[in-house]
Amino acid sequence: NAGVTQTPKFQVLKTGQSMTLQCAQDMNHEYMSWYRQDPGMGLRLIHYSVGAGITDQGEVPNGYNVSRSTTEDFPLRLLSAAPSQTSVYFCASSYLIKDTQYFGPGTRLTVL
Amino acid sequence: DQQVKQNSPSLSVQEGRISILNCDYTNSMFDYFLWYKKYPAEGPTFLISISSIKDKNEDGRFTVFLNKSAKHLSLHIVPSQPGDSAVYFCAASAGTGGGNKLTFGTGTQLKVEL
């Protein structure tokens, strides 16, 4: 049982490049979400999903796209990276409604 | 607008003593509160939670207290151990419609000294 896995661990992009951050979980959780952590800001919700085929925006969705074609995977896409997207990104999953969320190890992204 | 606030960025405590981490919130719709612990280069890990129908929840060395009228919660760690040194995040969620959408505070860095 690997829990929540994220790839890559580190990534450096140039402004305007696109990339996908991968997230997978093997706990059959319905709920998955993406957060970003910035200094002095805590963790902020980017997008979330309550099941395959269903996604919704969080607090800071601009510049990011998500899709949920399977229960296990929830990739986060940056269409045109900007320096303001330099951050540490965490994926999390849980059963629905007030359940404990399990976080992945994070992806540290730098946009030059 | 920061709906969940942790006003102390850092806290230093001696080993064996009590650590008290504080959290304030402004959204009266929050009904479920959690504490997460985070080590460097790792994801946050769940520590303890409390529903708004309770005012205290205890798990081993960790106790969370909720004061709804003051919109305040606190995490007590007794006794504190060096391995407790980490960043602690307070988080909150609102109603079943919000599902598991969490609003986090900015974190408190706890250092437990020998």
Side-chain angles (χ1 to χ4, degrees):
Chain A
N1 196 338
V4 180
T5 58
Q6 290 183 239
T7 56
K9 283 192 186 300
F10 303 94
Q11 183 69 50
V12 179
L13 292 178
K14 294 181 180 178
T15 296
Q17 286 185 315
S18 63
M19 80 158 295
T20 299
L21 280 64
Q22 302 291 345
C23 174
Q25 52 90 10
D26 60 359
M27 297 174 280
N28 204 30
H29 286 161
E30 301 97 342
Y31 185 90
M32 296 186 74
S33 55
W34 278 101
Y35 293 86
R36 58 178 288 174
Q37 184 193 6
D38 301 294
M41 301 287 289
L43 283 80
R44 292 181 292 168
L45 181 65
I46 304 171
H47 284 285
Y48 66 98
S49 167
V50 297
I54 307 169
T55 64
D56 206 345
Q57 297 181 351
E59 182 186 353
V60 288
N62 292 340
Y64 308 95
N65 274 2
V66 291
S67 60
R68 183 98 178 267
S69 55
T70 67
T71 300
E72 294 78 21
D73 300 295
F74 191 43
L76 178 72
R77 296 184 189 84
L78 282 70
L79 302 176
S80 178
S84 61
Q85 294 177 304
T86 293
S87 188
V88 182
Y89 292 84
F90 292 101
C91 178
S93 75
S94 69
Y95 293 113
L96 282 176
I97 309 300
K98 307 304 191 195
D99 188 58
T100 301
Q101 289 194 42
Y102 295 88
F103 283 80
T107 293
R108 184 174 293 273
L109 175 68
T110 302
V111 183
L112 303 175
Chain B
D1 176 36
Q2 193 77 20
Q3 296 186 63
V4 178
K5 300 177 185 178
Q6 294 178 256
N7 292 318
S8 298
S10 63
L11 175 68
S12 187
V13 171
Q14 279 197 315
E15 182 182 11
R17 304 279 212 163
I18 184 171
S19 295
I20 300 176
L21 293 90
N22 294 304
C23 178
D24 297 293
Y25 62 96
T26 58
N27 187 343
S28 57
M29 299 301 292
F30 287 146
D31 62 356
Y32 190 64
F33 304 89
L34 309 90
W35 285 93
Y36 279 84
K37 175 179 177 179
K38 185 183 180 305
Y39 292 117
E42 294 184 10
T45 55
F46 171 75
L47 197 55
I48 193 168
S49 63
I50 188 167
S51 165
S52 61
I53 62 173
K54 294 186 175 182
D55 53 20
K56 177 182 174 181
N57 188 27
E58 195 170 351
D59 184 1
R61 296 186 298 115
F62 304 92
T63 303
V64 56
F65 295 92
L66 175 62
N67 182 333
K68 288 186 290 294
S69 61
K71 293 191 175 68
H72 177 84
L73 64 155
S74 61
L75 174 68
H76 293 209
I77 306 174
V78 184
S80 301
Q81 299 174 352
D84 296 330
S85 296
V87 177
Y88 289 78
F89 289 100
C90 171
S93 70
T96 56
N100 278 330
K101 289 169 64 176
L102 295 178
T103 301
F104 281 84
T106 53
T108 296
Q109 172 78 59
L110 173 66
K111 183 177 181 182
V112 180
E113 298 173 319
L114 298 171

